[in-house]
Amino acid sequence: MIALTLDRIAEITQSRISGPARPTDVVFGPVIIDSRRAEPGSLFVALGGERVDGHDYARSAVAAGAAAVLGSRPVAAPQLLTDGGDEGVIAALGRLARAVAGELSGADIVGITGSSGKTTTKDLMAQVLGSLGPTVAPSGSYNNEIGHPLTVLRADSDTRFIVLEVAARGTGHIAHLCGIAPPRIGVVLNVGSAHVGEFGSREAIARAKGELVEALPSAADGGVAVLNADDDAVIAMAEHTAARVVSYGLAPDAHVRA
């Protein structure tokens, strides 16, 4: 992550400096949710869980070098304290990632969505882009409101590409993730029916996936929507974006054709 003082992080996350934390202390290491991964300069985000509560590991994270703990209840350690329980902490984490993304003027953010194939496509794309410059991508399918900002916060001023999966559990979820890390390039793989039980219809799934292309900047501002020409629900998204559309697939009229 780019280096930030605790008072700046407190301002961004709308949290309060608490305990022995000093406003001028600097976070320059990774942002983590596992205290075992703490290292000098890191920020430990304390979340509750089914079996353990991260706040119980705050002191061990600081002992391992963490500059502070971002949490929702007081701990005996340097802390950035938020209101609202875990939801408040997750919201603060998202605000921090959004601010850092805004500082990364040299990085292109790529968002990938679809009913299947997101993780494989992300891994392949990260390998290709990695040959062009420093690239950040999540391990596994780290694609929710916690994993998404944690991935963004791994980037620094040298990062050239950030490749992100964006998954949807419902309407508005992808739009929310795109608000945390605004993509310049959006890739839509497919619209399946595996989650019809959650969304109600394939059309509803398509609307949720389409939030990615709707979030892209205009073609004049460099926005690019990469759409599967072989999926009727995906290629129809071309009508709902101001970005330049690049289609791919087996279809005779695809821009990039196999």
Side-chain angles (χ1 to χ4, degrees), residues 16-255:
R16 305 179 297 281
I17 295 176
S18 178
R22 295 172 296 189
T24 55
D25 285 348
V26 177
V27 171
F28 56 85
V31 179
I32 55 170
I33 57 173
D34 185 340
S35 62
R36 295 169 296 183
R37 297 187 177 182
E39 58 184 73
S42 57
L43 177 66
F44 174 56
V45 180
L47 294 167
E50 293 181 3
R51 298 194 178 105
V52 297
D53 186 332
H55 294 83
D56 296 335
Y57 297 88
R59 293 180 65 181
S60 62
V62 171
V69 177
L70 174 63
S72 60
R73 66 176 174 84
V75 295
Q79 185 175 23
L80 297 164
L81 188 61
T82 70
D83 298 318
D86 278 356
E87 290 186 5
V89 174
I90 292 169
L93 180 64
R95 285 191 286 268
L96 180 59
R98 178 66 185 88
V100 168
E103 295 289 329
L104 302 174
S105 57
D108 276 328
I109 298 177
V110 182
I112 304 169
T113 195
S115 296
S116 61
K118 292 186 295 298
T119 300
T120 300
T121 304
K122 175 263 300 178
D123 290 342
L124 291 169
M125 189 178 295
Q127 289 200 32
V128 172
L129 294 177
S131 68
L132 302 177
T135 299
V136 170
S139 57
S141 55
Y142 227 36
N143 57 22
N144 62 13
E145 66 274 16
I146 299 173
H148 202 72
L150 287 176
T151 301
V152 174
L153 291 168
R154 287 170 45 205
D156 58 28
S157 57
D158 294 327
T159 300
R160 180 67 184 84
F161 300 101
I162 303 173
V163 183
L164 299 167
E165 291 185 42
V166 283
R169 294 192 305 273
T171 301
H173 192 212
I174 287 179
H176 171 70
L177 295 179
C178 289
I180 292 173
R184 185 179 74 81
I185 302 168
V187 182
V188 186
L189 303 175
N190 44 53
V191 174
S193 55
H195 302 289
V196 165
E198 299 170 32
F199 287 87
S201 67
R202 185 168 180 260
E203 291 73 23
I205 297 172
R207 285 194 295 272
K209 302 297 184 187
E211 290 169 7
L212 173 59
V213 300
E214 292 171 2
L216 297 172
S218 68
D221 291 326
V224 180
V226 183
L227 304 178
N228 182 357
D230 300 331
D231 187 311
D232 60 336
V234 174
I235 198 62
M237 295 176 190
E239 300 178 5
H240 301 285
T241 182
R244 177 169 68 93
V245 173
V246 176
S247 61
Y248 68 92
L250 301 175
D253 57 348
H255 295 114

